[in-house]
Structures are given as C-alpha cells and as structure tokens.
Amino acid sequence: MKIVVRVKLEPSAYQADALAATLRACNRAANRISEVAFATGEKRRVGLHHRVYRDMKDTSDLSAQPIVLTIKKVCDAYATLKANIRAGNLGPKGSKRRNKAESKPVVFREDAAQAFDDRCLSWQPDARTVSIWTTAGRLKGIGFVCSEAAAKLIADRRQGESDLVFRDGSWYLFATCDIPAPPVAEPTDWLGVDLGIVNIATTSDGQVLSGRRLERHRKRMRALTAKLQAKKTKNAKRRLKAIKRREQRFATDTNHCISKTLVQTAERTSRGIAVEDLTGIRERVKAKHDQRYRLHSWAFAQLGAFVQYKAERAGVAVVHVDPRNTSRQCSACWHTHKTNRVDQATFACRACGMTMHADINGSRNIRHRAADAWQRGAVNRPSTA
C-alpha cells in the first residue's frame, strides 16, 4: 500500500528564493502548455510532448526533465477534469459550473505544487538533507525535519516522485512510500459505523464519538474570523493569516483520532469495519441556509480515507454499504418508515415499539448489511488471507 510522508524543509533565504523562482517558472510553463493542449485538443503525454517540448526548451528556464514533468502535470490535470465531468462532480451538461470548466484551459497558480523525480531530487535521510534542481542550479544540503519513523520510511520505502509544496510561508516535500500491508483476513463479524455531523461516528457497539468539541471550535473560529475581517487593519490581516487553516488542522486531527479508535476496536475484536457509502451526499441533501456551512464543513470523505488506510495497515477489512433508509429502518424488526425517526437523537419503531439512540440504530443496520455486501462483491474486495 502507498502512503504519503510529509517533511518540512528548512532552506536558507537564498535557497527559498530559488525554490520560489522554480515553482513560478514551472507553473508559467504549465499554463502555456495547458493553452496549447486546450487549443489543439491534444491531451496525451506523447502527442503533447511533440508539440511543446522544443518550444519550452528554447524559451523557458526549465531543463529537459522538468519540462517532461510539467507536461505530465498538465496531462494529469486534464485527466482529472475529464474524470470529474464524467462523474458529474461539476454538474449536468449545460450547467453553469460545467460550462465554465470546459470553456477555458486549466490554469495553474504560480505557487502550485511541482513534482520532482530522482533525476531532479535526491534524498539523504541520514543527514536529513535533500539536493534539488532549481532554475538557479542544483541546490545541495537543504535541511528537512521529520520524525524518526518518517525518515526510516523515506530511506527504505520511498518510490516515484516527490512533490514540492509551498504553504503558508513554509516549504514541504511530500514523498510517496510503498509499504507492505498484511493480508486481510475474512471477517466473522462487522463493526457498523454510522457517520454524522452531530456525532461524527457511532458504532454498533454503542460507542458514540461526538463532534461537539469540533463544532465548538468551528463556531469560535467563525466568530474570530468575522471579527478580524470587520476590523480591516494590518494587525487583523496578520492575525487572519496566522490562524489560516487552523480549523482544517483541528478537523484533521479529530478524524485521525476517531479513525484510529475505530480501527483499533475492530482489530482487537477481529472484526471488519462497515461504513456508509456517502459519495455525492452534498449534492443529494438539500440543507437550509443556516445549515449549509455545517454540511460543507463535514469532512466525512477524509475520515473514510483515514479509516481505509489505517485498516489496510492493520489487516482489517472495510466494506461500504448502501446508506438508504439506515436511519428509518428498525434494527430489531426491519420495519421501515420515516416516522420511526422521531428527531436527530431518538428512534422509536412504530411496529415493535423498540426505542434507542437513532445513530446506534443506524450503525446496527449498517452492520446487518455488511455481510451481504461483502459476499456479493459489491465492493472491491482486497486479497484475503
């Protein structure tokens, strides 16, 4: 399985200027290549390479291999755009958002990330330094900081390209590492997990992982941001810059803690994990105006990704089930009706009279559906032991 390891670079002032100039040169070249790809309709790497390579070599500050990597970046961007259109992520045909995306070339920011392969970037994990190609020449001895575990992964398991990223005034390298995953054993039972906004995750065992702490943090950050934006002073702008992404980091840490708890519980009890397939939930759900911020701040996709990769590393099976009527169906008698869901927290079956927490009832329905979904092959089942 592949995981991404992030390290923070510590360049000198001269090295930081050279890295910034390199990103600008790569992304300006990417924009020119993107215009050619859009005008000619050539989105394949080989065809686009023949059209733009010689011109880029003569007119840009890039050497041969960075030009090749930049062409690949442009082709990958158009492939991603095509996949999003095909999946309906940009709306139906003729929609304003889709027309806007299809009517102009893909544009890259001047500080957008750039990939470097082993010809342009070399690692020295023991010395905690990297050597990287820039438009000012090869820079050697750029220090980086990371944990001992991350350094060992980079030394032993790093594969492919690494991405140079400039974010919030700091420089990072993202390295892809391929680590062996243990075989996934055939589960005998499942841990159902119901995902939500008020309660981020609720298990079929009755464990409720609340989102109140995260919700309080979001409200506090929204109020602070609005207050600083209203002042419009230099100090307020500096403060806004300092707290940027703080809510995102807090939500990411919360999802890491929750996913770790779920995977440890399933691993300890030799069960698989069953979660809802919430793909496209934002497009399907119609929220009131005051609830849209909460819905769009709901990082369920990130939580699902964290559960997936942590489960793979632990050898725990993960299955995605159909979420329809999991909140309306009684987990005891299977009676399904919308009136069974009394309110956000209460479930009361109109047929058998069973009452319980609504999220626990939903998680038990997810658990009941997991075995059928696994046996039917409704998901891409990993290799089993």
Side-chain angles (χ1 to χ4, degrees), residues 28 37 44-45 77 94 96 105 138 157 164 217 261 270 360:
R28 287 171 183 169
R44 298 176 302 114
R45 284 183 62 186
K96 183 177 179 181
R138 189 89 178 190
R157 299 292 180 180
L164 176 66
H217 182 82
T261 300
S270 301
I360 296 178

Side-chain angles (χ1 to χ4, degrees), residues 183-228:
V184 178
E186 187 76 20
T188 57
D189 198 1
W190 297 90
L191 178 69
V193 180
D194 181 79
L195 304 179
I197 298 177
V198 176
N199 297 315
I200 297 178
T202 305
T203 70
S204 54
D205 292 344
Q207 184 179 16
V208 179
L209 302 172
S210 176
R212 292 180 181 176
R213 184 164 170 260
L214 177 58
E215 189 69 19
R216 286 197 300 267
H217 182 82
R218 282 179 175 154
K219 288 183 179 180
R220 187 164 60 248
M221 294 304 298
R222 286 180 66 188
L224 178 59
T225 301
K227 181 180 178 181
L228 293 173

Side-chain angles (χ1 to χ4, degrees), residues 93-118:
K93 187 176 182 179
S95 65
K96 183 177 179 181
R97 186 181 178 191
R98 178 168 172 175
N99 288 340
K100 182 179 179 181
E102 293 178 324
S103 63
K104 61 181 182 179
V106 174
V107 178
F108 298 87
R109 304 186 320 272
E110 283 200 339
D111 60 348
Q114 176 66 24
F116 291 90
D117 60 9
D118 289 341

Side-chain angles (χ1 to χ4, degrees), residues 51-287:
R51 287 181 181 271
V52 303
Y53 177 80
R54 181 51 57 189
D55 180 57
M56 290 293 107
K57 196 76 169 64
D58 295 337
T59 60
S60 71
D61 296 331
L62 306 182
S63 59
Q65 193 61 20
I67 292 175
V68 173
L69 294 172
T70 303
I71 294 173
K72 178 179 180 294
K73 180 168 77 168
V74 173
C75 293
D76 290 344
Y78 277 103
T80 301
L81 175 62
K82 183 178 179 180
N84 283 327
I85 292 174
R86 185 180 300 170
N89 296 334
L90 300 179
K93 187 176 182 179
S95 65
K96 183 177 179 181
R97 186 181 178 191
R98 178 168 172 175
N99 288 340
K100 182 179 179 181
E102 293 178 324
S103 63
K104 61 181 182 179
V106 174
V107 178
F108 298 87
R109 304 186 320 272
E110 283 200 339
D111 60 348
Q114 176 66 24
F116 291 90
D117 60 9
D118 289 341
R119 294 184 181 182
C120 303
L121 174 70
S122 61
W123 294 79
Q124 297 83 41
D126 294 336
R128 296 289 200 277
T129 60
V130 295
S131 170
I132 186 169
W133 174 90
T134 68
T135 54
R138 189 89 178 190
L139 297 182
K140 299 181 179 180
I142 302 178
F144 68 85
V145 292
C146 65
S147 65
E148 290 294 334
K152 183 173 177 56
L153 279 176
I154 292 173
D156 299 337
R157 299 292 180 180
R158 187 188 62 82
Q159 288 188 353
E161 301 169 353
S162 301
D163 291 338
L164 176 66
V165 178
F166 181 70
R167 178 181 296 169
D168 297 337
S170 299
W171 292 94
Y172 300 93
L173 277 174
F174 289 75
T176 302
C177 298
D178 192 2
I179 63 175
V184 178
E186 187 76 20
T188 57
D189 198 1
W190 297 90
L191 178 69
V193 180
D194 181 79
L195 304 179
I197 298 177
V198 176
N199 297 315
I200 297 178
T202 305
T203 70
S204 54
D205 292 344
Q207 184 179 16
V208 179
L209 302 172
S210 176
R212 292 180 181 176
R213 184 164 170 260
L214 177 58
E215 189 69 19
R216 286 197 300 267
H217 182 82
R218 282 179 175 154
K219 288 183 179 180
R220 187 164 60 248
M221 294 304 298
R222 286 180 66 188
L224 178 59
T225 301
K227 181 180 178 181
L228 293 173
Q229 287 175 340
K231 287 188 174 182
K232 299 181 181 179
T233 61
K234 290 184 178 180
N235 285 336
K237 292 178 181 178
R238 281 195 291 266
R239 182 60 179 161
L240 281 171
K241 186 176 181 180
I243 67 174
K244 185 180 179 181
R245 301 183 192 273
R246 183 175 293 180
E247 178 184 330
Q248 179 185 357
R249 292 194 297 268
F250 191 91
T252 300
D253 178 72
T254 301
N255 283 337
H256 268 300
C257 294
I258 291 175
S259 60
K260 183 178 179 181
T261 300
L262 296 176
V263 172
Q264 286 180 342
T265 301
E267 183 182 17
R268 186 177 65 252
T269 56
S270 301
R271 290 181 289 178
I273 298 176
V275 296
E276 301 166 284
D277 183 4
L278 297 177
T279 304
I281 185 66
R282 289 192 175 95
E283 288 74 21
R284 297 197 305 267
V285 174
K286 294 183 179 180

Side-chain angles (χ1 to χ4, degrees), residues 363-385:
S363 64
R364 291 182 178 178
N365 285 326
I366 294 170
R367 171 178 172 267
H368 294 155
R369 299 180 185 187
D372 290 339
W374 181 262
Q375 294 299 329
R376 286 196 310 267
V379 296
N380 294 326
R381 187 182 306 178
S383 59
T384 57

